[in-house]
Amino acid sequence: VYDVNMPYHHGHLREALVDAALATARRDGPDAVVLRAATRAVAVSPSAAYRHFADRDELLSAVAQRCMSHLADVIESRLAEAPGGSDPVATAWGRLRAAGRAYVEFALSEPGWFGTAFGAPAGPPVPSAVAPGSPFQLLNELLDDLVATGALPPEKRPGAEYAAWAAVHGIATLLVDGPLRHVPPAGRDQIVTGVIDNVVAGLSKGLGVPDG
Amino acid sequence: VYDVNMPYHHGHLREALVDAALATARRDGPDAVVLRAATRAVAVSPSAAYRHFADRDELLSAVAQRCMSHLADVIESRLAEAPGGSDPVATAWGRLRAAGRAYVEFALSEPGWFGTAFGAPAGPPVPSAVAPGSPFQLLNELLDDLVATGALPPEKRPGAEYAAWAAVHGIATLLVDGPLRHVPPAGRDQIVTGVIDNVVAGLSKGLGVPDG
DNA sequence: TGTACATCAGTGAACGCGCGTTCACTGATGTAC
DNA sequence: TGTACATCAGTGAACGCGCGTTCACTGATGTAC
C-alpha cells in the first residue's frame, strides 16, 4: 500500500506507522503498541518515528483516536440501517437500542481496538471519547431525539447519557476482558439484551411505553 | 513485619511477596506487578519467588484475588452499616444502592486495586469475581432479598444481576480510567447517583415503588 | 536552464534499562537410627 | 543423646530479550538566483 522504493522521504510515514500500530492493537491490545515494532513493520529505522511523534505515548494516542472513531463508525452505520417505522417514538427507542448493541458488539468483535480506544493515556481534558463525532456525542443525539419525539420526559434527560453509557460500557468490559469472558455467545446475547432492556425500562419508567 | 534475620527459610515468603506486590498494585496497577520488584522489596533473590509461584502470572493472580476480596470486604462492611428501617422493601432497595455506591467508591479510592482485580489473566473458567464470597455473589443475594420482600417481581429477577453489575462497573471504569476521569468529585457523585437511580428504576418499573 | 545551498526526512549505531526465567549451588532444618 | 543424611528453601550469576530514546550523520528534495 505504501511506496516501498523510497528509503528517504517515505511520504506517508506517520500514517504508515499509525496503520501498523493499529494492526498490532487490533490483535493484541494497547500494550502491544510499540514504537520499534511499528517502525519494523514499515521497514524504517526506529529513530525515524521521532520525526512524527514526540514519544511512544503520542503514537498510542493517535492509534487510540482511530480506534475510537472506528467505534463511532460502527455505531453510525448500524444506525443508518436501523428500521425507521411509522411510530417515531418506537423508532427512537429502537435506535437507542441499536446503538447500544453496536457498542457491545464492537467490543466483542474488536476487543483489541476497544481496549485501545479506552486504555490510552490521552492526557487532554476532552478525550476523544466525548469529542464531536464521538460515540458519546452520538448517544446524546439519540437521547435528544427521544425527548424531541416525546418518548423521554425532559426531566429524565439529564444524566440519561451516563446511565446508558455506563450500562453498555460495563457489560462490554465484563464480557470482553472481565469475569464474564467465558460466557458462551448465546448467553452473551441474552445478557446484553437484558442490560439494554433495563436501561430503557429505567428511562421510560412511568410511561409504560416500550418494553420489547 | 517479617522476620528479617532469616536469609534461609524465610517462613512466609509467599505471603510476603503477595503483600509486596499488592502494595505495588495499589499504587500503580496490575502492570506494575513485577516479580523481581517483589523479591527486591522482600530482600530476597529473584529466583526465590519460583519456590512459590510457577511464574509471574501466578503471582499476579494471587494479588488479583486479594484485590477482589478487598472489594467484597468494602461492600460488605458498607452493607453492615446500612440503615435498616421498618420498611423491608425500602431497606432492600437501600441495600442494593449502598452496595452499588460502595463498588464505585472502591474503584475511585483504590484505582490500582480495582484495576488489578479485573485486569488479571485468571485463566480459570470461574474467576474470583463470581466465586463464593465475591462481589457478584453479594449482589445476587441482595437481588434475592428484593424478591423475597416482594420488592422485585420474580419474573424480573433473571438478568437483574447483570443489569446492576454492568451499570456500576461501567460507570466505575469510565470514571476511574476512562474518558470521564477528569470529571470533578461533585459531578462524579451526581453521575453515580443517576446511574444507580436508573438501575433501580428499571428493575422496579411498573411498580411505582421506589424513586429516591 | 543550470547550479549552490538550505531544509527535510530519513539512517544506523549505541545507551541504559529492567524484565522473566534457568541453573547449579548451599546453608538450615528435621528426621531416623 | 548424638550423629548421618535427606529435604527444603533459599542464593547468585547468567541467559536472552526488547524496549524507548539519543546522537551525529547523510541522502533526497526543492528553492533562489
Side-chain angles (χ1 to χ4, degrees), chain B residues 11-198:
Chain B
H12 304 283
L13 185 50
R14 190 192 156 92
E15 290 84 345
L17 288 171
V18 173
D19 284 353
L22 205 47
T24 315
R26 186 176 204 171
R27 242 184 303 108
D28 298 321
D31 292 347
V33 171
V34 155
L35 245 174
R36 293 184 84 106
T39 59
R40 237 178 283 131
V42 180
V44 117
S45 78
S47 45
Y50 289 87
R51 286 279 153 201
H52 301 279
F53 303 98
D55 53 21
R56 186 225 169 214
D57 265 14
E58 214 169 280
L59 169 62
L60 183 54
S61 291
V63 172
Q65 269 176 50
R66 294 272 300 267
C67 292
M68 191 61 81
S69 62
H70 268 125
L71 170 56
D73 290 350
V74 164
I75 295 173
E76 274 188 291
S77 78
R78 187 68 60 88
L79 285 176
E81 58 191 43
S86 58
D87 179 356
V89 169
T91 300
W93 285 116
R95 288 171 61 79
L96 182 69
R97 284 180 203 273
R101 291 204 90 86
Y103 191 101
V104 178
E105 279 165 27
F106 177 81
L108 288 168
S109 63
E110 296 290 355
W113 279 349
F114 183 74
T116 305
F118 289 97
V126 179
S128 60
V130 298
S134 66
F136 188 61
Q137 200 199 254
L138 250 35
L139 170 61
N140 275 307
E141 288 166 12
L142 291 172
L143 291 167
D144 288 344
D145 287 349
L146 280 162
V147 174
T149 60
L152 184 67
E155 70 271 17
K156 299 205 75 171
R157 176 64 183 81
E161 64 273 36
Y162 299 114
W165 193 10
V168 293
H169 189 79
I171 201 60
T173 61
L174 290 173
L175 286 171
V176 171
D177 262 337
L180 300 183
R181 90 189 71 129
H182 292 114
V183 173
R188 287 204 294 243
D189 240 58
Q190 212 176 118
I191 290 174
V192 172
T193 302
V195 167
I196 294 178
D197 280 352
N198 200 65

Side-chain angles (χ1 to χ4, degrees), chain A residues 57-141:
Chain A
D57 264 13
E58 213 169 281
L59 169 62
L60 183 53
S61 291
V63 172
Q65 269 177 48
R66 294 272 301 264
C67 291
M68 192 60 80
S69 62
H70 267 125
L71 170 55
D73 289 350
V74 165
I75 296 173
E76 274 189 291
S77 78
R78 187 67 61 86
L79 285 176
E81 58 191 41
S86 58
D87 179 356
V89 168
T91 301
W93 285 116
R95 289 170 62 79
L96 183 68
R97 284 182 202 273
R101 292 205 91 86
Y103 191 100
V104 178
E105 280 165 25
F106 177 82
L108 288 167
S109 63
E110 297 290 355
W113 279 349
F114 183 74
T116 306
F118 288 97
V126 179
S128 60
V130 297
S134 67
F136 187 60
Q137 199 199 258
L138 250 34
L139 170 60
N140 276 307
E141 287 166 12

